[in-house]
Amino acid sequence: GYRPPPPPLFGLNGEQMVYCLIGANALVYGYWQIADRNTMQANFVVSEESIYHGRAHTAVTSAFSHFDLGHLGSNMIALYFFGRDIGNMMGPRYLLGLYLVGGVTSSLAHVAWCRYDRERRAKKLSPFMQTAGRWIQNTTGGASSAYLASPGALGASGAVNAIVLLNALLFPFNTIYLYMVIPMPNILLAGMFLARDLYGAQMGVGSGTA
């Protein structure tokens, strides 16, 4: 039977919300090119240090933040191809919510992993080195100084991956053209995109980009 379209959000339909998300990412990329680098680093990169110092907004803003044009391009192409189906089917409110939940989850996972990895490496040090490390922290700014060595992260990959995964589960056999030329089923292309990001995270590719 007839199914009415999902209700708009801020006057936008699902596909228009995709364009707004792409536009927001492009705008932040533009600011990276012209704004003060320290200001951008403090407000658009998530890290242990940013969360520890109360800049919790970086868990959201980092999901719209790209310093590298290639990184921006690959994420926005995936958002365009996979996000429109989700937006048209579920509506703009659901699409925006999924993007934000995916982005924040990815940001917090990065912070949690950095803390775990830092503590794991610290346990491998000798008791003398552990004591010396704590003394250095306490005399150079307290416990927060340890967070300064943890890498920050930025990028929409976590948010986009949430959309890609849901799209692949809903429309696994839709045909998508890789590089506008090579036809392949949706689930295969989604798997390749997710595998690329997982490999990059595992190998440390991109120095904290996501």
Side-chain angles (χ1 to χ4, degrees):
Y2 171 73
R3 181 178 180 179
L9 180 65
F10 308 126
L12 302 172
N13 62 30
E15 187 159 339
Q16 290 169 334
M17 180 58 73
V18 172
Y19 299 138
C20 284
L21 290 171
I22 292 174
N25 278 271
L27 181 64
V28 176
Y29 171 78
Y31 274 111
W32 269 107
Q33 312 311 308
I34 62 175
D36 177 71
R37 188 61 53 84
N38 291 330
T39 299
M40 297 299 295
Q41 184 81 21
N43 292 285
F44 288 90
V45 177
V46 67
S47 64
E48 279 194 273
E49 185 273 334
S50 71
I51 300 300
Y52 181 88
H53 286 100
R55 300 196 307 277
H57 62 276
T58 57
V60 177
T61 57
S62 62
F64 294 86
S65 180
H66 300 80
F67 177 76
D68 178 74
L69 183 59
H71 185 210
L72 171 70
S74 63
N75 278 335
M76 294 306 99
I77 289 172
L79 177 58
Y80 174 79
F81 280 109
F82 293 97
R84 289 180 302 161
D85 289 335
I86 301 299
N88 291 332
M89 180 178 183
M90 303 291 193
R93 186 185 303 275
Y94 187 93
L95 177 65
L96 177 60
L98 181 61
Y99 184 98
L100 293 176
V101 169
V104 171
T105 300
S106 176
S107 294
L108 297 181
H110 169 79
V111 172
W113 168 256
C114 286
R115 180 181 178 87
Y116 163 78
D117 188 56
R118 178 167 54 79
E119 293 179 347
R120 178 182 60 83
R121 286 185 283 108
K123 290 179 180 178
K124 292 183 177 180
L125 298 175
S126 67
F128 172 78
M129 292 300 296
Q130 292 183 35
T131 301
R134 285 193 293 269
W135 180 84
I136 292 172
Q137 290 178 23
N138 292 332
T139 57
T140 58
S144 64
S145 62
Y147 300 120
L148 299 177
S150 297
L154 72 165
S157 293
V160 173
N161 283 342
I163 294 170
V164 169
L165 181 59
L166 180 59
N167 188 296
L169 293 174
L170 291 174
F171 313 106
F173 301 113
N174 279 8
T175 299
I176 292 184
Y177 288 85
L178 180 64
Y179 303 122
M180 309 293 183
V181 176
I182 306 172
M184 62 176 54
N186 190 10
I187 195 167
L188 176 59
L189 183 59
M192 291 170 58
F193 183 81
L194 294 172
R196 183 209 64 170
D197 277 354
L198 289 173
Y199 175 79
Q202 182 69 25
M203 300 302 294
V205 175
S207 302
T209 59

